[in-house]
Amino acid sequence: MARPDTSLRGKVAVVTGSTRGIGLIIAAYLARAGANIVICGRTMESVEEAYQQFAVIPGVEVLGWACDVRNPDEVQSLAEQAVARFGKIDIWFNNAGISGPFAPTAEMPPEAWREVIDTNLIGTFHGTRVALQQMLPRNSGKIINLVGQGARERDRLHGYLSAYASSKAGVLRFTQAVSREYADTNLSILAMAPGFVRTGLMEPDALTHDAAERLKALDSALRRFGTPIEEAGELAVQLAGPATDGVTGKLYEVKPGLLQVLRGLLRRGG
């Protein structure tokens, strides 16, 4: 884990989708930097399980709340509970996301495609909206949206994850648009690309034989060139902290180190 510090002492951070994967790592790193944390997942069972992992972090308070980001009322309730407990929200990470099934678009069930958009893109809108409502009266706060792979032309994920790629490209454009709307405030509205990370999100179900073969290639790329998930936590602390004061509308990326890339190339050559 990251070296404990106090750069976020006194801050309150909400991290959606923080019961596992990148979201859990982000929440843990923010807590170790001194922030009080609000974690959430779709079920209270997942929240309670994740909650136990914060018991070893001294001097930090944690609130767990069940929230499906597709539901605006539940996201509103999440924000209200955070304010009721801590009095404010300083940092809001829109992290909750799903990849959906791995399949060519012609064979993708419409309801599965829509669920990805509803979770990743519309869920980010819901979170951003309630965060703005809390932060604008104080003229202070940071909203950080996870864009992931697929948001940019050079990203590896395009075919067979069309909903995921579309949603993350949408999140990036949404972040840029909202940052322009509130450019005359002290809010920082940022995008974060955590890198090519192996999590449950990047282990989708393949719907066809051809998709299963392509998924093997994706898994191989993850093993060779994947970014350590801890680097996402380190970047999250930087974005949530004073380093981004006065910055808005910018995309920050976790990039694999040169040594890691070289090791991947050597493994492939061997």
Side-chain angles (χ1 to χ4, degrees):
M1 299 295 290
R3 183 178 67 255
D5 63 57
T6 58
S7 61
L8 300 180
R9 184 69 65 193
K11 300 295 186 180
V12 177
V14 177
V15 184
T16 67
S18 47
T19 59
R20 60 176 182 166
I22 291 174
L24 181 58
I25 289 291
I26 288 174
Y29 270 72
L30 296 177
R32 289 180 180 275
N36 293 320
I37 303 296
V38 181
I39 61 171
C40 77
R42 287 191 182 183
T43 68
M44 203 60 207
E45 290 78 11
S46 66
V47 172
E48 290 172 352
E49 183 177 347
Y51 187 90
Q52 304 304 317
Q53 301 188 41
F54 292 85
V56 298
I57 304 176
V60 168
E61 294 185 48
V62 180
L63 170 66
W65 198 257
C67 173
D68 185 339
V69 298
R70 298 173 298 178
N71 185 323
D73 293 335
E74 292 190 16
V75 180
Q76 184 72 47
S77 177
L78 176 67
E80 291 171 355
Q81 291 298 322
V83 173
R85 174 69 176 273
F86 298 113
K88 61 175 182 173
I89 298 172
D90 298 295
I91 304 153
W92 187 292
F93 273 86
N94 284 306
N95 166 78
I98 59 174
S99 61
F102 198 76
T105 301
E107 300 174 36
M108 177 74 71
E111 64 276 9
W113 208 93
R114 177 60 183 267
E115 183 182 13
V116 175
I117 301 299
D118 284 348
T119 303
N120 299 0
L121 180 55
I122 298 179
T124 295
F125 161 72
H126 291 157
T128 300
R129 179 174 174 272
V130 300
L132 287 169
Q133 290 171 351
Q134 295 296 331
M135 294 175 180
L136 284 171
R138 298 172 55 232
N139 195 24
S140 176
K142 298 190 178 185
I143 300 171
I144 302 163
N145 299 328
L146 274 286
V147 299
Q149 291 285 319
R152 299 141 305 177
E153 179 63 29
R154 68 178 182 274
D155 286 340
R156 297 177 176 90
L157 297 181
H158 290 290
Y160 286 54
L161 282 173
S162 62
Y164 180 82
S166 299
S167 71
K168 291 304 184 179
V171 168
L172 179 57
R173 296 294 173 261
F174 172 75
T175 303
Q176 293 166 340
V178 177
S179 71
R180 294 188 188 103
E181 292 175 6
Y182 299 100
D184 60 347
T185 72
N186 290 330
L187 273 63
S188 293
I189 302 168
L190 308 168
M192 171 180 159
F196 202 34
V197 178
R198 175 185 289 279
T199 66
L201 186 69
M202 290 313 304
E203 297 173 2
D205 295 326
L207 296 188
T208 66
H209 175 73
D210 179 53
E213 292 302 312
R214 288 174 179 254
L215 193 56
K216 290 179 182 178
L218 174 61
D219 182 72
S220 177
L222 276 166
R223 283 188 282 106
R224 291 170 176 167
F225 305 112
T227 307
I229 195 171
E230 292 78 12
E231 293 187 18
E234 294 170 0
L235 179 60
V237 171
Q238 293 178 32
L239 300 195
T244 57
D245 288 352
V247 179
T248 194
K250 186 174 179 180
L251 169 64
Y252 292 84
E253 305 177 66
V254 172
K255 298 180 180 179
L258 178 59
L259 180 59
Q260 183 183 358
V261 173
L262 289 174
R263 285 173 176 168
L265 291 171
L266 288 171
R267 285 198 296 268
R268 185 173 62 179

